[in-house]
Amino acid sequence: MDELFDVIVIGGGAIGMTSAWRIAQTGRRVLLLERGQLGGEASSAAAGMLGAQLEVSEPGPFYQLCLESRSLYENFVNELYEITGIDAQLMHNGIFQLAYSETEAQALHERMKWQTAGGANAEWIDSQSVAEQEPVLSGCLGALLLPDDSNVNARLLTRSLGVAVHRTCTVHEGIHVTDIQPLSGGGYTVMTATNSYIGESVVVAAGAWAERLLQPFSTPCTIRPVKGQLLTIRPRHGQRLRRTVFNDHVYLVPKRDGTIVVGATEERDSGFNRDVTIDSLMSLLFAAQRIAPGLHDAVFEQSWTGLRPGSPNGQPWIGEIPEYPGLHVAVGHFRNGILLSPVTGNMVTQSVKGEPWPERWQPFHVILQSEVC
Ligand code: GLY
């Protein structure tokens, strides 16, 4: 006999786990299926920047979605802490977006203009003040300070989400979903290599692996892995970095344990390859040393890769596929899966409950996104 669930969530990354947890909080019986380990892919590989103002290059719905999710973060991590005892180490440390040429400075002033006009905080800091605030940095012409962008420890966040889903859902790890089949009377059979399960609703949140599962449902949903390589360094001699710093070649994200995450490459032609390569590490380290020469003797700690779920426009596709009632997606979060987890969890939950979305979420509905892309 197939096991029955109200909702089956496929994918145990930050998006899948947040969605499963939030849906379970509505009293539904949720099964979460993960092909590897919970949070074992892009989510725990992430640098954890909550760069709502950093990651978006123009005003509009995507910028608003990022701001909305950032505004949910404090309560999100506090709620997780209360039920799991794991602190995701949210740091309100702000981001310096550094300029090294007049062209870059001008672009950052433009960004400051539209962001402040929209009510966000953004401030130009001259090079001397940057050096005073962050003595390990040197050589920039100035920086745009985004004081409300923050960061979390992505590994701790995914660990706490893992505990939350284990408390509220049935969780199976190491399970490959092979197929999703609509049932004639409504609902879906989710087939795995060893078992099958029936769900009244199914949520596909399978990150870079989503495309294969969605192909039979004729959603022109091209989700491709975009490899990122990252590393961690530990400063010596009492050197430290307070703010996250970012330029076009590299970012440095200081963590509460004193380490700094250095990221990240964006490799579109590597498929599902996870090799850490010398050329990528060298280019990251070279770029890091250029902006932060004060960290030249920092200790190298570790390196790793993550496969971002890349959508054609870098924006997520969320919601119910209209031709397939009960089949929902939450895919394509690309560079912003950690940032967008809280709002995505709310969107998916509302979608599964059959409640209408507010206007501001509509542009990310899977049907509209597939028309845009
Ligand atoms: N959010 C940063 C990155 O994807 O590299």
Side-chain angles (χ1 to χ4, degrees), residues 47 49 55 230 251 263-266 308 334-336:
M49 272 188 294
E55 292 277 2
L230 304 95
Y251 53 74
T265 58
E266 228 179 69
R308 304 178 186 88
F334 188 37
R335 295 176 60 91
N336 295 299

Side-chain angles (χ1 to χ4, degrees), residues 31-98:
L31 169 66
L32 175 61
L33 297 173
E34 160 56 40
R35 53 187 288 286
Q37 290 180 331
L38 290 181
E41 296 288 353
S43 301
S44 55
M49 272 188 294
L50 305 179
Q53 289 175 249
L54 173 83
E55 292 277 2
V56 184
S57 54
E58 57 186 16
F62 185 51
Y63 176 57
Q64 294 304 328
L65 190 77
C66 290
L67 290 181
E68 180 179 350
S69 205
R70 190 185 67 184
S71 75
L72 299 172
Y73 239 91
E74 186 95 48
N75 286 342
F76 181 57
V77 295
N78 286 345
E79 194 180 341
L80 282 168
Y81 179 69
E82 266 166 35
I83 59 173
T84 69
I86 299 171
D87 179 1
Q89 301 189 347
L90 176 62
M91 286 175 69
H92 293 290
N93 61 329
I95 296 181
F96 268 152
Q97 201 170 357
L98 304 166

